[in-house]
Amino acid sequence: MTSVPDSQAHMRRAIELSRIHMEAGEGGPFGAVVVKDGLIIGEGWNRVTSTCDPTAHAEVVAIRQACGHLGAFSLRGCEIYTSCEPCPMCLAAIYWARLDRIWYANNQADAAAIQFDDQWLYREVALPIGNRSLPAKSLLRAEALTVFQAWDAKPDKTRY
C-alpha cells in the first residue's frame, strides 16, 4: 500500500493536472493518476469538450494510459488518485480495470455545487431498466445469443 506522504504527492499531481488542463480549456476541472509500486504509470485529465468525447473523463483517460503502459487490461496492484469522487461511469471503469483502491479529493456534493451533478445518474442506474428515463428495448436477442454461445464454447478465449 502507498504511504501517506506518497499518497499526498500523487493526489497533488491529480489536482495539478485538473488545474493545468482546466485553465488550458481542455475540459472540466478533473485530473487523475494511476500508481503502481509508488510510480505514476498513467495520467489523465478531463478531455470531454476538447475531444468531443463524453467518455474522456480523467479517470478513464488515466486508466487507458496505464493499461497501455503495462500492456494489460487489468490494473490489479494499482491505485487511482482522482481530484474528485468518480462519477458512475468512471467508478464502473475503475471496477472493470480491477484497481485496488480509489483515493479522491473533492466529493459528489462539491461537484454538484459547480453544476457537475451525477446524482440523477446514480438514481437512474439503480432503477429497473423499464423505469429509466432513457427508453431501452431488447431486439434480436436470439441472434445475439448465438454469439454468446460461441464465446462460451471458445476454448482459447481470454477471460477478464
Side-chain angles (χ1 to χ4, degrees):
M1 184 174 3
T2 306
S3 71
V4 173
D6 288 344
S7 295
Q8 291 176 354
H10 298 319
M11 184 59 77
R12 283 191 177 102
R13 179 61 181 157
I15 294 167
E16 178 183 39
L17 290 168
S18 74
R19 179 178 301 281
I20 290 168
H21 296 285
M22 177 269 300
E23 288 175 350
E26 295 179 31
F30 305 97
V33 298
V34 174
V35 174
K36 182 175 180 65
D37 300 325
L39 300 173
I40 294 174
I41 60 166
E43 293 187 336
W45 51 89
N46 185 283
R47 299 177 182 180
V48 170
T49 57
S50 61
T51 62
C52 298
D53 179 355
T55 68
H57 289 201
E59 297 91 339
V60 172
V61 173
I63 287 168
R64 289 174 180 163
Q65 190 179 90
C67 287
H69 176 82
L70 294 178
F73 54 80
S74 174
L75 294 177
R76 281 190 171 92
C78 300
E79 300 176 335
I80 190 163
Y81 293 77
T82 178
S83 65
C84 187
E85 185 177 355
C87 75
M89 177 186 70
C90 293
L91 184 59
I94 289 165
Y95 273 96
W96 278 117
R98 309 294 197 257
L99 285 148
D100 291 357
R101 177 177 300 220
I102 302 167
W103 299 83
Y104 64 93
N106 295 316
N107 62 33
Q108 291 178 34
D110 300 326
I114 61 166
Q115 281 67 60
F116 287 96
D117 188 2
D118 299 326
Q119 283 305 311
W120 71 271
L121 189 50
Y122 280 106
R123 286 189 301 271
E124 279 285 307
V125 297
L127 293 172
I129 197 164
N131 294 351
R132 295 179 187 159
S133 63
L134 180 64
K137 178 134 177 76
S138 182
L139 184 65
L140 299 178
R141 180 173 176 252
E143 289 182 36
L145 276 174
T146 63
V147 181
F148 273 22
Q149 291 160 351
W151 168 261
D152 192 39
K154 189 175 186 331
D156 62 340
K157 64 183 163 246
T158 302
R159 295 190 184 276
Y160 57 95

